[in-house]
Amino acid sequence: MNARYIFVSTVVAAVVLFVWSSVMHMGLWPESSVKTFADEGAVNDVIRANGSGNGLYINKAGVVTVVHMDPNVPDTFQNMGPMLAGEFISDLVVGLLLALGFGLVGIMSARNGAAAGIVFGLAAAAHTYASESVWYGFPWLFSILNSIEIVVGWMLAGAVLGVLAAKMNRSQVARTATA
């Protein structure tokens, strides 16, 4: 593995993951998988009065709540820039790990890259999202949708990384043969 392969593969995989995630969330994600409160203001007041800030809250009755409130931003979805930037940075990290992992096992084709992406994605999704459903009561539909996002994203990234690896390997071999 050379630095050029790692850099290019990391960026390309991140773009593939980011685009797929955007398509999944904006077009394929059913609105019924996430519920809203009837009176958001009342819920916000109760959370502010009983919580100590942002975080994950759990009680013995089985209530699980993730709190991410900014008193200066009444609608966090109107301030998506920083969240999208954070998501892309996360995708860069995943892209780097996929590039390193696929490079270590010698993925050199779109088919093998896609197959490895499916297997690794299933392992990551099952470990993460099944546990969230079991332990925290996340709806299974939510866990399945998140799993689909990971598996398809990693499959697409794997296919692209396989093509890049094969192309870069052929050009490296050609340069070595003519030297």
Side-chain angles (χ1 to χ4, degrees):
M1 278 187 294
N2 63 35
R4 182 172 175 256
Y5 164 78
I6 296 299
F7 177 77
V8 171
S9 296
T10 296
V11 173
V12 169
V15 169
V16 168
L17 293 169
F18 189 83
V19 169
W20 164 246
S21 179
S22 298
V23 168
M24 179 78 180
H25 285 273
M26 291 188 303
L28 303 176
W29 198 277
E31 288 184 31
S32 63
S33 67
V34 178
K35 301 188 183 317
T36 59
F37 294 106
D39 186 347
E40 290 186 11
V43 171
N44 292 346
D45 292 342
V46 168
I47 289 171
R48 281 188 195 100
N50 291 283
S52 59
N54 292 337
L56 177 67
Y57 291 86
I58 302 171
N59 73 15
K60 293 178 184 177
V63 175
V64 178
T65 304
V66 176
V67 176
H68 177 237
M69 296 171 75
D70 183 342
N72 300 319
V73 182
D75 182 353
T76 57
F77 292 110
Q78 299 303 315
N79 190 26
M80 299 247 332
M83 290 188 283
L84 291 171
E87 181 64 29
F88 189 71
I89 291 168
S90 170
D91 290 339
L92 281 169
V93 171
V94 172
L96 173 63
L97 294 172
L98 288 174
L100 290 170
F102 286 13
L104 287 173
V105 297
I107 301 295
M108 291 289 182
S109 71
R111 187 182 75 204
N112 289 347
I118 290 170
V119 171
F120 297 152
L122 282 170
H127 181 77
T128 302
Y129 297 116
S131 291
E132 288 177 349
S133 290
V134 169
W135 288 99
Y136 302 117
F138 281 38
W140 282 100
L141 176 60
F142 183 79
S143 296
I144 290 167
L145 290 168
N146 275 307
S147 297
I148 290 169
E149 179 187 349
I150 286 182
V151 171
V152 173
W154 288 23
M155 176 193 71
L156 295 171
V160 171
L161 292 182
V163 169
L164 279 173
K167 182 178 179 181
M168 289 182 167
N169 189 46
R170 280 194 301 272
S171 65
Q172 187 175 2
V173 169
R175 279 195 303 270
T176 303
T178 58

Coordinates of all heavy atoms in Angstrom, one line a residue, residues 4 13 45 49 64-65 74 77 79 88 99 107 123 136 156:
R4 N -0.3 7.3 -1.8 CA -1.2 7.8 -2.8 C -2.5 7.0 -2.8 O -3.6 7.6 -2.8 CB -0.6 7.8 -4.2 CG -1.5 8.4 -5.3 CD -0.8 8.5 -6.6 NE -1.7 8.9 -7.6 CZ -2.2 8.1 -8.6 NH1 -1.8 6.9 -8.6 NH2 -3.0 8.6 -9.5
A13 N -13.8 7.1 -0.9 CA -14.7 6.3 0.0 C -15.5 7.2 0.8 O -16.8 7.0 0.9 CB -13.9 5.4 0.9
D45 N -39.1 21.7 28.1 CA -39.1 22.3 29.4 C -38.8 21.2 30.5 O -38.0 21.4 31.4 CB -40.4 23.0 29.7 CG -40.6 24.2 28.9 OD1 -39.6 24.8 28.3 OD2 -41.8 24.7 28.8
A49 N -35.5 21.0 32.9 CA -35.7 21.0 34.3 C -35.1 19.8 35.0 O -34.7 19.8 36.2 CB -37.1 21.1 34.7
V64 N -35.5 6.0 27.1 CA -34.2 6.4 26.6 C -34.3 7.6 25.8 O -35.1 7.7 24.8 CB -33.6 5.2 25.7 CG1 -32.2 5.6 25.2 CG2 -33.5 3.9 26.5
T65 N -33.5 8.6 26.1 CA -33.6 9.9 25.4 C -32.2 10.4 25.1 O -31.4 10.4 26.0 CB -34.4 10.9 26.2 OG1 -35.6 10.4 26.6 CG2 -34.5 12.2 25.5
P74 N -33.1 27.5 18.1 CA -34.4 26.9 18.3 C -34.7 25.7 17.4 O -35.5 24.8 17.8 CB -35.4 28.0 18.1 CG -34.6 29.0 17.2 CD -33.2 28.8 17.5
F77 N -32.2 21.8 12.9 CA -32.1 21.4 11.5 C -31.9 22.6 10.6 O -31.7 22.5 9.4 CB -33.4 20.6 11.1 CG -33.4 19.2 11.8 CD1 -34.3 18.9 12.8 CD2 -32.4 18.3 11.4 CE1 -34.3 17.7 13.4 CE2 -32.4 17.0 12.0 CZ -33.3 16.7 13.0
N79 N -29.5 24.6 11.2 CA -28.1 24.8 11.3 C -27.3 23.5 11.0 O -26.6 23.0 11.7 CB -27.8 25.2 12.8 CG -26.3 25.7 12.9 OD1 -25.7 26.1 12.0 ND2 -25.8 25.5 14.2
F88 N -19.1 14.3 7.4 CA -18.0 14.1 6.4 C -16.7 13.7 7.0 O -16.0 12.8 6.5 CB -17.9 15.3 5.4 CG -17.0 15.0 4.3 CD1 -17.4 14.1 3.2 CD2 -15.7 15.5 4.2 CE1 -16.6 13.8 2.2 CE2 -14.8 15.1 3.1 CZ -15.3 14.3 2.1
A99 N -10.0 1.8 3.5 CA -8.8 1.7 2.6 C -7.7 0.9 3.2 O -7.1 0.1 2.5 CB -8.4 3.1 2.3
I107 N -7.7 -6.5 -1.6 CA -8.9 -6.3 -2.5 C -8.4 -5.6 -3.8 O -7.9 -4.5 -3.8 CB -10.0 -5.5 -1.8 CG1 -10.4 -6.1 -0.5 CG2 -11.1 -5.2 -2.7 CD1 -11.1 -7.5 -0.6
A123 N -21.1 -7.0 9.8 CA -20.5 -7.2 11.1 C -20.7 -5.9 12.0 O -21.1 -6.0 13.1 CB -19.1 -7.6 11.0
Y136 N -31.3 -0.9 24.6 CA -31.9 0.4 24.8 C -33.3 0.6 24.2 O -33.9 1.6 24.3 CB -31.0 1.5 24.2 CG -29.6 1.5 24.8 CD1 -28.5 1.3 24.0 CD2 -29.4 1.8 26.2 CE1 -27.2 1.3 24.6 CE2 -28.1 1.8 26.7 CZ -27.0 1.5 25.9 OH -25.8 1.5 26.5
L156 N -20.8 -0.1 -1.6 CA -20.4 0.8 -2.7 C -19.0 1.3 -2.6 O -18.2 1.3 -3.5 CB -21.4 2.0 -2.7 CG -22.9 1.7 -3.0 CD1 -23.8 2.9 -2.7 CD2 -23.0 1.2 -4.4

